[in-house]
Amino acid sequence: RQCRIDAGLRQSEAAKLAGISQQSISTYEKGTRIPLAPAIIAMARAYGVTTDYLLGVSDNPMIVTYIAKEEE
């Protein structure tokens, strides 16, 4: 829930962005249902955080992009 609020989204807006129902968002936030991987990925993208952050595995919400150095 806090990720959604931090993203400035209502449940209905988050649901539309994530491509899942508002009812699903509600049940996930209440803890009455556990989201499957596709829903977790979709919510993380909608909220602009990593799946690790959404799952509580990481304290860092930022998405990190690594750029490989070209070999000389």
Side-chain angles (χ1 to χ4, degrees), residues 11-12 14-25 28 38-39 42-43:
Q11 283 185 349
S12 59
K16 186 174 182 177
L17 284 172
I20 57 180
S21 72
Q22 185 271 327
Q23 183 179 4
S24 291
I25 298 280
Y28 301 152
M43 288 186 294

Side-chain angles (χ1 to χ4, degrees), residues 14-65:
K16 186 174 182 177
L17 284 172
I20 57 180
S21 72
Q22 185 271 327
Q23 183 179 4
S24 291
I25 298 280
S26 178
T27 60
Y28 301 152
E29 289 182 0
K30 289 178 185 174
T32 55
R33 282 185 56 206
I34 297 173
L36 297 175
I40 294 169
I41 293 166
M43 288 186 294
R45 287 180 178 158
Y47 303 158
V49 298
T50 64
T51 54
D52 282 354
Y53 182 76
L54 194 61
L55 293 168
V57 176
S58 171
D59 292 334
N60 183 2
M62 302 301 292
I63 298 171
V64 178
T65 304

Side-chain angles (χ1 to χ4, degrees), residues 1-7 9 11 28-30 47 54:
R1 179 175 187 229
Q2 193 58 51
C3 287
R4 175 182 57 77
I5 292 169
D6 290 347
L9 299 170
Q11 283 185 349
Y28 301 152
E29 289 182 0
K30 289 178 185 174
Y47 303 158
L54 194 61

